[in-house]
Amino acid sequence: MNTRITAAAALAALALAVTGCSPDEDTDSKASGTPSASASTPTATRDAAQAAGIPPKPTGAKRAELLRALAAANPDVVKYEDKAIDAARNQCSAINGGGQRLDYVAAQRFTYKDVTTTEAQGKQINEALKGLGFCKV
């Protein structure tokens, strides 16, 4: 629960930072034809995600390796690959943030649509994420 609150607070802070320019700054940037210095950049978003303990989206071989590890714990979770990747990244925020009841949280996070994940499978998912070193940011 504390991890969700922490993650929600981090996302709220990010949203405020992204929308935090004043009308004067916006007007000045339009007049000069240059973007405002406070405009959000992919780097800022990536840094905020890393600060919340969320690793970058895996690609190529790393993505395939992660999906194989998740499928070993519960074959159904990879039915929706993008959801599984997002759930894994978000589970890292719980792991890296020292969350409690990680197996339960993983079971909840990897239960979606017509996929159900048990707490035992959640434990296997956590072990896979740690074993791969995926959650190290």
Side-chain angles (χ1 to χ4, degrees):
M1 188 63 148
N2 288 338
T3 303
R4 288 186 181 174
I5 292 170
T6 303
L11 289 174
L14 175 62
L16 288 174
V18 170
T19 61
C21 64
S22 72
D24 291 339
E25 289 175 3
D26 194 37
T27 304
D28 290 344
S29 67
K30 286 180 186 174
S32 67
T34 59
S36 171
S38 64
S40 177
T41 63
T43 303
T45 304
R46 190 171 37 251
D47 291 346
Q50 284 183 339
I54 299 174
K57 283 188 179 182
T59 57
K62 287 187 178 197
R63 178 182 169 95
E65 181 181 39
L66 176 60
L67 290 171
R68 275 193 303 274
L70 295 173
N74 180 356
D76 289 340
V77 298
V78 297
K79 192 186 309 187
Y80 307 101
E81 290 183 0
D82 289 337
K83 271 197 142 339
I85 296 294
D86 288 343
R89 293 177 67 222
N90 288 322
Q91 184 63 17
C92 287
S93 70
I95 291 169
N96 291 335
Q100 297 177 355
R101 300 184 61 198
L102 291 174
D103 301 339
Y104 172 80
V105 171
Q108 298 302 303
R109 191 164 273 143
F110 285 88
T111 295
Y112 37 76
K113 295 187 182 188
D114 58 341
V115 176
T116 302
T117 302
T118 66
E119 217 168 314
Q121 290 169 322
K123 180 176 183 169
Q124 291 177 319
I125 288 170
N126 286 329
E127 289 171 356
L129 293 173
K130 291 174 187 174
L132 290 174
F134 179 69
C135 292
K136 293 183 179 174
V137 289

